[in-house]
Amino acid sequence: MEPVINVPLYEAERIDDLLTHEMKIIQSHEVFCFSMDAVLLARFASVPKRGRVLDMCTGNGAIPLIMTTRTPEARFDGIEIQQRLFDMASRNVKLNRLTDRIEMHHGDVKEAVSLFGHGTFDLITCNPPYMPATSGEKNRSEHFAIARHEILLSLEDVIRVGSQLLKNGGKLALVHRSTRLIDIISLMRQYGIEPKRMRLIYPRKDAEPNMVLIEGSKGGKPELRIQPPLIVYENGEEYCEELQEIYFGRRDSLA
């Protein structure tokens, strides 16, 4: 990959290492930064060799950036409602010389069908807000609150719109709290997406799972394959071998 190029940085922003293929990413402590959840989803989703991929709630664009390393020809779109994050995502695409493969859009996921049209995408990914709007104490920062709580976008919105945007046979891949698994499966089936692959994420081997990776196929036949669990930390605070390979080695996926 060619070296990154210079782009403007604004107050409180920094450039971090994306820990893959010499990529860099602009972030700020004032807005929601990408996390392990984004990395796990980008490595779990069934990225097509060709075709078109959409990342909903793209934030600063970490997921499509990582997914470009898994396929040489697919084209990627990202949609983000927060202006500041959309601007960061757009600059991150330029920073990594990927303007020919990724296009960022400033808009509301709920209005995405009017922007992209029905049946456009082969794959849709989303790391959505995890918390219902009425639950928990909302963060004082509007940026964090929107990213964490279903203030502007619900889980049902994500799955409903995703179904409309997918081609028949296209895939929707999500990372979410494992406590919402029944909601996810129920809503997928309600909107014609059949759950096909699932993997539970455990912080440690003696803990309950706290995250789930799940992928469904639009119009697919019933058959859910549950992959081996991923246990994040081994030997105290050390990443498991699989994650070390993803972050620091050559492993391309969690599939």
Side-chain angles (χ1 to χ4, degrees), residues 18-38:
L18 199 51
L19 297 175
T20 185
H21 292 69
E22 299 181 356
M23 283 183 161
K24 304 294 182 181
I25 189 164
I26 300 167
Q27 303 208 97
S28 170
H29 67 273
E30 295 181 348
V31 297
F32 197 77
C33 296
F34 89 95
S35 64
M36 180 185 292
D37 304 351

Side-chain angles (χ1 to χ4, degrees), residues 137-145 148:
E137 181 181 349
K138 296 183 181 63
N139 196 284
R140 293 179 182 177
S141 164
E142 179 185 9
H143 297 292
F144 282 89
R148 289 172 172 165

Side-chain angles (χ1 to χ4, degrees), residues 36 40 178 198-213 226-234 240 243:
M36 180 185 292
L40 294 178
S178 54
M198 186 182 85
R199 192 169 191 189
L200 288 168
I201 311 301
Y202 294 74
R204 292 173 178 79
K205 65 180 180 180
D206 57 351
E208 293 182 352
N210 59 354
M211 304 298 298
V212 62
L213 295 161
I226 300 175
Q227 297 180 336
L230 176 64
I231 300 171
V232 174
Y233 293 107
E234 295 177 350
C240 68
L243 283 178

Side-chain angles (χ1 to χ4, degrees), residues 10-14 16 25-35 58-61 80-89 91-92 139-148:
Y10 304 134
E11 186 176 353
E13 291 184 344
R14 65 183 189 272
D16 290 338
I25 189 164
I26 300 167
Q27 303 208 97
S28 170
H29 67 273
E30 295 181 348
V31 297
F32 197 77
C33 296
F34 89 95
S35 64
T58 199
N60 62 0
E80 172 55 49
I81 196 169
Q82 296 194 62
Q83 174 66 46
R84 183 170 180 183
L85 285 169
F86 160 73
D87 183 69
M88 290 173 72
R91 285 181 287 135
N92 279 326
N139 196 284
R140 293 179 182 177
S141 164
E142 179 185 9
H143 297 292
F144 282 89
I146 290 171
R148 289 172 172 165

Side-chain angles (χ1 to χ4, degrees), residues 107-228:
D108 188 339
V109 166
K110 297 193 295 293
E111 305 299 326
V113 177
S114 62
L115 176 63
F116 298 112
H118 286 267
T120 301
F121 294 98
D122 300 278
L123 169 69
I124 295 174
T125 56
C126 189
N127 179 9
Y130 291 155
M131 306 296 291
T134 56
S135 71
E137 181 181 349
K138 296 183 181 63
N139 196 284
R140 293 179 182 177
S141 164
E142 179 185 9
H143 297 292
F144 282 89
I146 290 171
R148 289 172 172 165
H149 294 263
E150 295 179 336
I151 296 169
L152 301 180
L153 187 72
S154 69
L155 176 60
E156 182 168 2
D157 292 331
V158 168
I159 294 173
R160 172 180 53 81
V161 174
S163 178
Q164 294 171 339
L165 291 170
L166 283 172
K167 297 176 180 178
N168 195 48
K171 295 177 172 61
L172 173 67
L174 306 175
V175 59
H176 214 295
R177 293 278 180 90
S178 54
T179 52
R180 302 293 301 277
L181 179 57
I182 298 303
D183 295 334
I184 295 168
I185 291 174
S186 297
L187 287 166
M188 278 187 168
R189 284 192 153 178
Q190 179 180 336
Y191 289 101
I193 299 174
E194 186 61 31
K196 303 293 283 185
R197 298 168 54 232
M198 186 182 85
R199 192 169 191 189
L200 288 168
I201 311 301
Y202 294 74
R204 292 173 178 79
K205 65 180 180 180
D206 57 351
E208 293 182 352
N210 59 354
M211 304 298 298
V212 62
L213 295 161
I214 187 166
E215 183 178 81
S217 177
K218 183 175 179 179
K221 296 180 180 179
E223 184 185 40
L224 175 61
R225 294 184 177 273
I226 300 175
Q227 297 180 336

Side-chain angles (χ1 to χ4, degrees), residues 48-59:
K49 291 182 179 180
R50 301 174 183 84
R52 197 167 174 190
V53 179
L54 172 66
D55 184 45
M56 301 195 297
C57 310
T58 199

